[in-house]
Amino acid sequence: MTETILEEFFNHNLWANLQIVDACSQLSAEQLDSEPQSATKGTIRQTLIHLVNSEYGYLSDLSGMKNPYDGRTDFSFTEMQQILHESAAGYLALVRNPANEHLNAPVHTEDGYTIEPWVLLLQAINHATEHREQIKSMISALRIKPPRIDAWVYARTKNAFIAPAK
């Protein structure tokens, strides 16, 4: 295995995010903007845009770079995919270099918080997972089968989970 476990977590995060964006791109505007019939808050579109903004937002906090997408609420599906690729590349660049200064000093946010870098990395993964599951729930409520994006499916795409020979 040439990639570290942490790198693979971020690779899965990107893959799963892209699967959700692709599934949502197949929905009508009415479906994307319908009020959910589940315990989630916000529409599919709102949740998806929040997920994409947050992916880059946590990276911006970690890397100290400005988030060029901050506050935007009008992404096309192509732009969402591009932003997710950009943020994934940023996370991977950070975790591939554990000596990186951004991973070895507390992060001071604009609103006054001080956060250890590992917390932001963990939050990026958990936050995306939670919102992907909310979106899947809303898609299911529309009586549409959402994509499977769990680790087993991802591992199969990477040839890292192979069934025994019969």
Side-chain angles (χ1 to χ4, degrees), residues 72-87:
R72 278 204 43 205
T73 59
D74 61 340
F75 300 113
S76 70
F77 290 107
T78 301
E79 287 175 310
M80 287 183 209
Q81 292 168 334
Q82 173 192 336
I83 293 164
L84 290 170
H85 277 288
E86 287 175 18
S87 60

Side-chain angles (χ1 to χ4, degrees), residues 38-100:
S38 60
T40 60
K41 181 182 177 210
T43 66
I44 293 172
R45 185 187 311 273
Q46 290 166 338
T47 306
L48 192 58
I49 288 170
H50 171 73
L51 184 153
V52 171
N53 269 327
S54 297
E55 283 290 293
Y56 214 100
Y58 295 129
L59 177 62
S60 294
D61 286 342
L62 269 168
S63 65
M65 65 183 188
K66 182 169 174 23
N67 180 354
Y69 308 107
D70 191 28
R72 278 204 43 205
T73 59
D74 61 340
F75 300 113
S76 70
F77 290 107
T78 301
E79 287 175 310
M80 287 183 209
Q81 292 168 334
Q82 173 192 336
I83 293 164
L84 290 170
H85 277 288
E86 287 175 18
S87 60
Y91 285 117
L92 288 168
L94 285 172
V95 301
R96 284 180 177 140
N97 181 10
N100 187 305

Side-chain angles (χ1 to χ4, degrees), residues 2-131:
T2 59
E3 296 178 307
T4 68
I5 291 171
L6 191 53
E7 285 176 88
E8 203 58 66
F9 285 2
F10 281 96
N11 283 326
H12 170 264
N13 192 60
L14 171 62
W15 173 84
N17 284 341
L18 292 173
Q19 298 302 306
I20 286 294
V21 169
D22 184 55
C24 291
S25 74
Q26 307 303 310
L27 302 175
S28 69
E30 180 181 317
Q31 291 169 319
L32 288 167
D33 297 323
S34 67
E35 287 301 318
Q37 303 301 310
S38 60
T40 60
K41 181 182 177 210
T43 66
I44 293 172
R45 185 187 311 273
Q46 290 166 338
T47 306
L48 192 58
I49 288 170
H50 171 73
L51 184 153
V52 171
N53 269 327
S54 297
E55 283 290 293
Y56 214 100
Y58 295 129
L59 177 62
S60 294
D61 286 342
L62 269 168
S63 65
M65 65 183 188
K66 182 169 174 23
N67 180 354
Y69 308 107
D70 191 28
R72 278 204 43 205
T73 59
D74 61 340
F75 300 113
S76 70
F77 290 107
T78 301
E79 287 175 310
M80 287 183 209
Q81 292 168 334
Q82 173 192 336
I83 293 164
L84 290 170
H85 277 288
E86 287 175 18
S87 60
Y91 285 117
L92 288 168
L94 285 172
V95 301
R96 284 180 177 140
N97 181 10
N100 187 305
E101 65 183 276
H102 295 292
L103 295 181
N104 292 299
V107 174
H108 303 285
T109 65
E110 291 180 6
D111 52 359
Y113 288 89
T114 301
I115 308 169
E116 291 295 323
W118 68 265
V119 175
L120 287 167
L121 290 172
L122 182 59
Q123 176 62 14
I125 296 287
N126 283 341
H127 181 265
T129 301
E130 290 168 2
H131 286 307

